[in-house]
Amino acid sequence: MTSNHTDCHYCLQSLRGRKYALREENTYCVTCYDSLFANPCEECKQPIECDSKDLSYKGRHWHEKCFKCTKCSRSLVEKPFAAKDEFLLCTECYSDEYSSKCFHCQKTIMPGSRKMEFKGSSWHESCFVCQYCQQPLGTKPLITKDNENYCVPCFEKQFAHRCYSCKKVITSGGVTYHDQPWHKECFVCSGCRTQLSEQKFISKDEYPYCVDCFNKHYAKKCAACKKPITALGGAKFITFEERQWHGECFNCVKCSVSLVGQGFLTRQDDVLCHECGLA
C-alpha cells in the first residue's frame, strides 16, 4: 500500500508516497514491518519480507521459492506433499522412501491407495487375488500354498484331498489307509462303525475292523482254550491240519509240556509229546 497521510507506527517516519504494511490497524514502513514481524524461512533462514508470499505448514514458514521437496528439490507449491521427521517430500519421493512395496509386483503402494495386509506383507488391492481364478480375495477366507494365495473353492479344487468314504474335502487332519485319505470321523470299523483313528485295528479284505469285531467274525479259535487267535501285536500261533493253537496253548494234553518247536504225536483231537504218546 502507499500512504499520503500516516506515519510508521514504529519509527514514526512519514509514509507519504511510500509503501507500508498494515497490522492490527497500525501502519508500518516496509523496513520496520519486516524487522518486527517477518517470519524466518525454514529453508534459507532469511526473513520472509512483506512483499514476498509466505507459505506456512504446521506453524512453519517458507518463501515460495524455498517450498520444495527435500529430496528431489521440486517445488511443492500447490502440489500434494507429505512430511516425514519435519522434512517435506513430494508424494513420489515419499513413496520411494517410506511407502510399502507390494509383495506380488514389488511396486510401491502409493499413499492414499487401498492396500491389503496379510501375514506381515502388503499388496495392492488389485494384486491380492486368487492364484488360480484371479478373482480379488479382499477379506474372503483364503489358503496359502507355496507362497501363493488361493480362495477356498479353488484350493479345494486343485489341492485338497477328498475322503475315500464320503467324498467330501478333508480340510484338516485325516487318516491314510491303503494309500487313500479318510476323515477321522469316517474311518470306522466295518463291523460296529466305531471310530478307529485312535485305536488299533485289523484289515480284512481291505476293510478295517476293530479288534473285537475281527475276533468275533474272522479270527480262528484256539483248539485248546477256544479263544480267538489274532496276529495283533505279533502273537505266535501254531497250525496243524486246519487246527490252530496259541503258542502258549500248544502243549501236551497229558503232561502240559510245550510242544512249540518239538516233535509231537496226535491221538484223535489231542496232541502229545513223544513220551506221553508212547506210554
Side-chain angles (χ1 to χ4, degrees):
M1 292 184 183
T2 303
S3 173
N4 294 316
H5 307 288
T6 59
D7 298 331
C8 173
H9 182 72
Y10 187 73
C11 69
L12 303 179
Q13 292 188 19
S14 173
L15 297 176
R16 185 173 298 173
R18 298 171 59 190
K19 290 182 178 181
Y20 69 93
L22 184 65
R23 182 182 176 89
E24 297 177 354
E25 298 184 358
N26 295 317
T27 54
Y28 298 86
C29 66
V30 171
T31 301
C32 289
Y33 184 89
D34 289 343
S35 64
L36 292 172
F37 305 114
N39 295 305
C41 175
E42 288 286 332
E43 176 67 18
C44 68
K45 309 305 179 186
Q46 298 298 313
I48 303 173
E49 299 169 336
C50 64
D51 57 353
S52 298
K53 185 177 288 187
D54 184 334
L55 302 180
S56 65
Y57 173 72
K58 290 189 175 180
R60 300 159 65 204
H61 300 264
W62 289 262
H63 289 104
E64 186 175 16
K65 61 181 173 44
C66 296
F67 194 63
K68 55 191 178 182
C69 174
T70 303
K71 186 176 180 183
C72 69
S73 298
R74 285 183 292 184
S75 174
L76 299 177
V77 177
E78 297 183 358
K79 293 180 181 178
F81 64 91
K84 180 69 175 178
D85 300 328
E86 298 189 356
F87 294 104
L88 303 183
L89 297 163
C90 64
T91 53
E92 290 83 358
C93 289
Y94 182 87
S95 297
D96 289 342
E97 289 290 323
Y98 303 108
S99 292
S100 303
K101 296 283 194 278
C102 176
F103 183 83
H104 177 72
C105 69
Q106 295 303 307
K107 294 181 179 179
T108 298
I109 301 175
M110 298 296 289
S113 62
R114 211 176 159 188
K115 70 176 180 179
M116 308 303 297
E117 298 282 348
F118 180 65
K119 289 188 175 180
S121 298
S122 302
W123 278 262
H124 290 111
E125 186 177 25
S126 59
C127 292
F128 194 59
V129 298
C130 171
Q131 177 67 18
Y132 185 73
C133 68
Q134 296 299 304
Q135 293 300 307
L137 290 170
T139 57
K140 297 177 184 176
L142 61 93
I143 301 173
T144 300
K145 179 178 173 61
D146 299 330
N147 289 327
E148 299 289 357
N149 299 320
Y150 298 85
C151 64
V152 173
C154 285
F155 182 85
E156 292 180 350
K157 181 177 180 181
Q158 293 297 304
F159 305 110
H161 295 296
R162 292 187 178 272
C163 176
Y164 182 77
S165 175
C166 70
K167 311 305 179 186
K168 295 181 180 180
V169 170
I170 300 173
T171 56
S172 63
V175 176
T176 299
Y177 174 68
H178 283 309
D179 296 325
Q180 297 292 346
W182 302 62
H183 289 113
K184 285 185 177 181
E185 59 271 22
C186 293
F187 188 61
V188 298
C189 172
S190 298
C192 65
R193 312 306 294 173
T194 57
Q195 287 190 29
L196 298 175
S197 59
E198 302 297 332
Q199 61 175 297
K200 294 179 180 179
F201 64 91
I202 303 172
S203 180
K204 172 68 175 175
D205 300 328
E206 297 190 358
Y207 292 97
Y209 291 86
C210 67
V211 175
D212 290 341
C213 283
F214 182 85
N215 289 340
K216 179 180 179 181
H217 296 290
Y218 299 107
K220 302 292 185 182
K221 300 296 189 294
C222 176
C225 71
K226 310 305 180 184
K227 294 180 180 179
I229 298 173
T230 174
L232 187 67
K236 293 181 179 179
F237 67 96
I238 292 87
T239 182
F240 175 72
E241 292 184 349
E242 298 185 358
R243 289 187 294 165
Q244 291 81 28
W245 291 261
H246 293 109
E248 63 272 18
C249 294
F250 192 57
N251 303 321
C252 174
V253 71
K254 289 189 70 174
C255 69
S256 299
V257 68
S258 175
L259 299 177
V260 177
Q262 307 296 321
F264 61 92
L265 300 173
T266 61
R267 181 181 297 164
Q268 295 180 349
D269 291 335
D270 296 331
V271 288
L272 302 101
C273 65
H274 280 289
E275 288 79 3
C276 292
L278 296 174

